[in-house]
Amino acid sequence: MNGRADFREPNAEVPRPIPHIGADYIPTEEERRVFAECNEESFWFRSVPLAATSMLITQGLISKGILSSHPKYGSIPKLIFACIMGYFAGKLSYVKTCQEKFKNLENSPLGEALRSGQARRSSPPGQSKQIRRYLG
């Protein structure tokens, strides 16, 4: 006896340890498939529509005179900026959806880490950026 009382039931399930997801983590085949799926879906269903919409709105504002065009380059710089912002807004807007896809994976250490909240709460500095880079 170690001096501590063990109040657990004899048949109680012991919680599994939370996997450590660090910079050296190698995703499983299923995780790689979800990464690719998330990347493609975020591009086609969020980034492209938001980039195109932001460019159309920007061009409309320039045409109405609300925004001014550049004397030498015209509306191109503002349209490129709107396109880039729309692209990144689309990617960022899909992060939660991708996290849910990973949480639904059964034999996934990354899914387990996301379900337990370990990836956001106790990650070393820079690790959440590593996870976001994979997500899209």
Side-chain angles (χ1 to χ4, degrees):
M1 187 126 231
N2 61 4
R4 295 182 187 170
D6 190 7
F7 294 107
R8 287 185 282 173
E9 294 179 27
N11 296 334
E13 188 176 316
V14 178
R16 295 186 323 209
I18 298 170
H20 177 69
I21 308 295
D24 58 343
Y25 176 70
I26 299 171
T28 65
E29 269 312 304
E30 194 173 8
E31 289 171 344
R32 285 187 184 128
R33 180 189 57 77
V34 172
F35 282 136
E37 183 180 299
C38 282
N39 197 24
E40 189 171 331
E41 288 177 0
S42 68
F43 178 76
W44 289 111
F45 299 126
R46 300 281 177 94
S47 290
V48 169
L50 280 175
T53 303
S54 64
M55 289 175 66
L56 286 171
I57 291 171
T58 302
Q59 184 60 44
L61 293 173
I62 291 170
S63 296
K64 287 186 175 186
I66 297 171
L67 289 177
S68 61
S69 59
H70 191 275
K72 183 176 180 182
Y73 302 111
S75 62
I76 299 296
K78 287 189 172 88
L79 292 176
I80 291 172
F81 180 76
C83 180
I84 292 169
M85 291 298 108
Y87 172 82
F88 284 116
K91 286 289 187 177
L92 285 174
S93 73
Y94 209 71
V95 169
K96 289 279 187 199
T97 305
C98 283
Q99 285 177 344
E100 289 303 316
K101 287 184 179 202
F102 281 104
K103 286 179 185 178
N104 293 333
L105 292 177
E106 290 193 15
N107 294 322
S108 164
L110 182 56
E112 181 66 32
L114 288 169
R115 280 190 294 275
S116 68
Q118 180 257 347
R120 203 174 277 282
R121 278 185 270 144
S122 63
S123 62
Q127 181 179 338
S128 59
K129 290 179 186 174
Q130 178 78 13
I131 291 171
R132 281 196 192 113
R133 185 177 74 193
Y134 280 116
L135 295 178

